[in-house]
Amino acid sequence: RFVPNGVAARNVNNNNVKVSAAPQARRSKRRSATTALRMSSNDYFNEQTYTEAAWSAMISLQSAAESYQATQVEAPMLLDTLLNPSKYSGKDSADSARQVAEGVLTKAGVNMDTLRSELEGYFKKQPKVSGGSGQITMGRNLNAVLRKATDAKKQLRDSFISVEALVLALVQEDTLFTRDALTRQGVKYTEVQWAVEQLREKKGP
């Protein structure tokens, strides 16, 4: 079971929507988060605050933690669920998330093969836990990323947290992997911002 650890509540603004490369509309049929995550009323794991594509990455976090035998869900796992949804039986919305995340990072100048290889190498170096209680908690770094994603949503003038907002937040706040990985490739946060803007302009309203 996944128990978020001391996360503050955020309000969702349903006005002033700007179209993203990821679908912005809420769905009539959504997988219930409570089937996979045990949630408090005050946390970031509220599916109503995310686009369908972004939520598909969020809902796979527990599977990622279990796959890597970890007791905490951390920010690099979010990057992994965005870029490698097939590892977690991701459906169409998860593949949409992958396409958006890849599109943004590639346009910003990121070599995706190198990024995926380094990410896998990062996980191989992490300690693994077996025979535990089965309770998985949210790490501080992921907490910081999701808080920043909420800020990014407002800056993008979106009603929901999108894949682009998650990517921007990872690049800015994931000090465990993403920020350093992009620095090694010479890619700056401002270039990722530019990539988001360019792709949204190309997509149009």
Side-chain angles (χ1 to χ4, degrees):
R1 309 166 307 161
F2 183 92
V3 183
N5 222 1
V7 187
R10 302 293 176 198
N11 294 324
V12 180
N13 176 12
N14 288 320
N15 297 317
N16 205 13
V17 181
K18 184 175 181 179
V19 174
S20 166
Q24 290 293 342
R26 277 187 266 189
R27 285 74 57 208
S28 58
K29 294 182 179 180
R30 311 180 86 173
R31 178 182 173 188
S32 173
T34 56
T35 60
L37 310 175
R38 184 176 178 86
M39 302 183 297
S40 70
S41 60
N42 297 324
D43 57 46
Y44 291 115
F45 288 86
N46 178 355
E47 62 180 318
Q48 298 303 317
T49 67
Y50 294 87
T51 64
E52 184 175 6
W55 181 245
S56 68
M58 294 293 295
I59 202 67
S60 296
L61 285 172
Q62 177 169 317
S63 296
E66 291 170 350
S67 174
Y68 292 113
Q69 296 177 270
T71 58
Q72 280 195 329
V73 174
E74 270 295 6
M77 294 179 189
L78 177 57
L79 181 65
D80 196 38
T81 62
L82 284 168
L83 297 183
N84 304 302
S86 60
K87 291 167 62 176
Y88 310 108
S89 301
K91 297 184 180 180
D92 290 346
S93 56
D95 195 57
S96 295
R98 177 191 61 78
Q99 291 177 29
V100 173
E102 279 188 352
V104 169
L105 292 171
T106 299
K107 192 167 187 64
V110 176
N111 183 306
M112 297 305 299
D113 289 340
T114 298
L115 184 65
R116 282 192 170 91
S117 176
E118 290 186 352
L119 182 60
E120 199 60 35
Y122 166 85
F123 286 124
K124 287 180 180 178
K125 295 177 182 177
Q126 301 311 301
K128 293 177 173 55
V129 179
S130 59
S133 65
Q135 181 174 346
I136 301 172
T137 60
M138 184 169 71
R140 291 182 179 180
N141 197 236
L142 179 58
N143 183 16
V145 167
L146 296 180
R147 183 170 59 246
K148 184 61 69 174
T150 302
D151 295 338
K153 178 200 75 173
K154 297 174 183 176
Q155 293 168 2
L156 293 169
R157 300 177 67 189
D158 290 339
S159 293
F160 309 107
I161 296 174
S162 64
V163 172
E164 296 99 321
L166 292 177
V167 170
L168 288 169
L170 282 164
V171 174
Q172 200 166 17
E173 292 293 331
D174 176 18
T175 57
L176 296 178
F177 176 78
T178 309
R179 196 162 74 180
D180 289 343
L182 265 62
T183 297
R184 285 192 291 272
Q185 294 198 33
V187 177
K188 301 177 181 178
Y189 173 74
T190 52
E191 291 171 308
V192 181
Q193 278 185 310
W194 171 84
V196 169
E197 293 170 359
Q198 291 295 304
L199 289 172
R200 286 192 165 200
E201 286 180 5
K202 182 178 179 180
K203 183 73 176 179

